Amino acid sequence: GKVEMDLSLTSLNTAMEYVKDIYGPEIERKGIRLVYRPEKNEGLSLLVEPISFKNQVLGNLISNAIKFSPPGGEIR
């Protein structure tokens, strides 16, 4: 079977804010610092399926970074 994806332009900064909100408590509990500079990506949009991109792609990256970062570390 084929899976059809509804692609749309999605702001990287908006997607990162969503991920920061979701994973913020876990980041704080572990004492990790998330360093993200939105000004570097101002106006950058990606053609993606927004929900999958935020939850699966960015979510998995951040989740793994939290998991494998030592307490007091940084995620950049």
Side-chain angles (χ1 to χ4, degrees):
K2 292 183 180 180
V3 175
E4 291 193 27
M5 298 183 80
D6 186 19
L7 302 179
S8 62
L9 284 175
T10 302
S11 162
L12 181 57
N13 285 342
T14 301
M16 279 301 295
E17 285 300 318
Y18 171 83
V19 170
K20 283 171 48 178
D21 288 344
I22 298 297
Y23 289 96
E26 192 175 347
I27 288 169
E28 284 184 28
R29 261 193 308 280
K30 196 164 178 184
I32 296 171
R33 193 167 150 232
L34 177 61
V35 179
Y36 177 72
R37 298 174 69 194
E39 67 277 2
K40 294 221 174 218
N41 297 310
E42 191 63 40
L44 179 63
S45 292
L46 307 168
L47 186 60
V48 294
E49 195 292 307
I51 294 170
S52 295
F53 179 70
K54 290 186 288 190
N55 292 329
Q56 293 175 333
V57 177
L58 287 180
N60 283 342
L61 287 171
I62 296 297
S63 177
N64 285 336
I66 294 167
K67 182 177 178 181
F68 294 107
S69 294
E74 277 188 355
I75 298 171
R76 292 180 171 265

